[in-house]
Amino acid sequence: GQQLNQSPQSMFIQEGEDVSMNCTSSSIFNTWLWYKQDPGEGPVLLIALYKAGELTSNGRLTAQFGITRKDSFLNISASIPSDVGIYFCAGQPGAGKSTFGDGTTLTVKP
Amino acid sequence: EAQVTQNPRYLITVTGKKLTVTCSQNMNHEYMSWYRQDPGLGLRQIYYSMNVEVTDKGDVPEGYKVSRKEKRNFPLILESPSPNQTSLYFCASGAGKYEQYFGPGTRLTVT
């Protein structure tokens, strides 16, 4: 199947710092999605991106759909302790199929 | 409350004993999908369904079966489980083609 490279694998930051993570692929995707997973739970959708070049915000989160359609990034501004978790990108080439990155584990130190 | 439910949440079984993990959603979503998640890895798609009686393979369908006889239910069937199917399984549903809402997960151990 298609591969997504998500980086960094983990991040340790101080509360209040900004965070940036990204995903790249050798294949084109029509949709990019970003999810957060808390321990013991299923992923929760944070942001969905549908058009190349699109920049979308959800509170302190901002994500962009790369112009080449092969990459996306997620920024979190002014991190807080509840931002702790695993963040996943997912790319979809078309309706139905989904490919997930391996996740970025975020630790926020108070 | 809008939700995706999975049963059981935890299951320990033995090699070769057929099992079914149920998934149900109450949001009238057309799209449903199954994933497995292994330590350090993202979610890998097993099967998905765009509507009743329409199912397609994801990236890792070997050893699994699904059916979609009703809109709300999408069971995952392991006819002859093996230890390499020990994993955390998630069901998801969505109204559109892309956004997905995940269930709480089923942790399966095959000995």
Side-chain angles (χ1 to χ4, degrees):
Chain A
Q2 292 163 313
Q3 298 272 336
L4 283 187
N5 296 310
Q6 184 171 350
S7 64
Q9 188 174 11
S10 60
M11 301 182 76
F12 297 84
I13 62 169
Q14 289 288 143
E15 183 176 356
E17 290 183 355
D18 296 344
V19 171
S20 185
M21 59 191 79
N22 69 83
C23 278
T24 60
S25 171
S26 58
S27 304
I28 288 173
F29 289 113
N30 288 330
T31 303
W32 283 95
L33 304 127
W34 285 92
Y35 291 87
K36 181 187 180 215
Q37 185 177 29
D38 292 325
E41 304 199 2
V44 174
L45 181 66
L46 298 173
I47 292 180
L49 302 157
Y50 300 107
K51 288 197 300 190
E54 179 181 358
L55 184 71
T56 296
S57 293
N58 178 7
R60 293 178 297 106
L61 278 61
T62 302
Q64 183 156 30
F65 192 145
I67 198 72
T68 65
R69 293 164 63 194
K70 293 182 178 181
D71 63 326
S72 178
F73 72 75
L74 174 72
N75 287 342
I76 305 173
S77 63
S79 58
I80 59 178
S82 63
D83 290 335
V84 165
I86 305 176
Y87 291 79
F88 291 102
C89 63
Q92 296 181 322
K97 290 209 79 168
S98 286
T99 300
F100 278 72
D102 287 346
T104 295
T105 300
L106 179 63
T107 302
V108 179
K109 291 179 274 189
Chain B
E1 180 191 352
Q3 59 184 351
V4 178
T5 56
Q6 297 179 225
N7 282 294
R9 295 289 312 279
Y10 302 91
L11 178 60
I12 301 174
T13 189
V14 296
T15 299
K17 186 177 180 181
K18 180 179 178 180
L19 67 92
T20 299
V21 183
T22 65
C23 174
S24 182
Q25 49 94 4
N26 62 1
M27 296 169 278
N28 201 36
H29 287 165
E30 292 181 344
Y31 175 86
M32 297 186 76
S33 184
W34 275 103
Y35 297 85
R36 62 177 287 172
Q37 184 177 28
D38 300 296
L41 299 179
L43 285 79
R44 291 182 291 169
Q45 192 174 38
I46 303 171
Y47 272 96
Y48 64 95
S49 170
M50 299 299 290
N51 213 327
V52 175
E53 302 290 2
V54 180
T55 61
D56 275 299
K57 296 178 181 179
D59 290 327
V60 290
E62 295 78 19
Y64 305 94
K65 285 175 55 177
V66 293
S67 69
R68 188 90 183 274
K69 293 184 170 55
E70 309 165 277
K71 201 173 196 179
R72 65 183 292 124
N73 297 322
F74 191 44
L76 179 70
I77 303 155
L78 285 71
E79 295 270 4
S80 183
S82 62
N84 65 13
Q85 292 179 298
T86 292
S87 190
L88 179 58
Y89 291 87
F90 287 101
C91 179
S93 73
K97 300 173 186 173
Y98 306 112
E99 298 177 20
Q100 299 181 57
Y101 300 88
F102 284 81
T106 294
R107 188 167 292 281
L108 172 65
T109 302
V110 183
T111 61

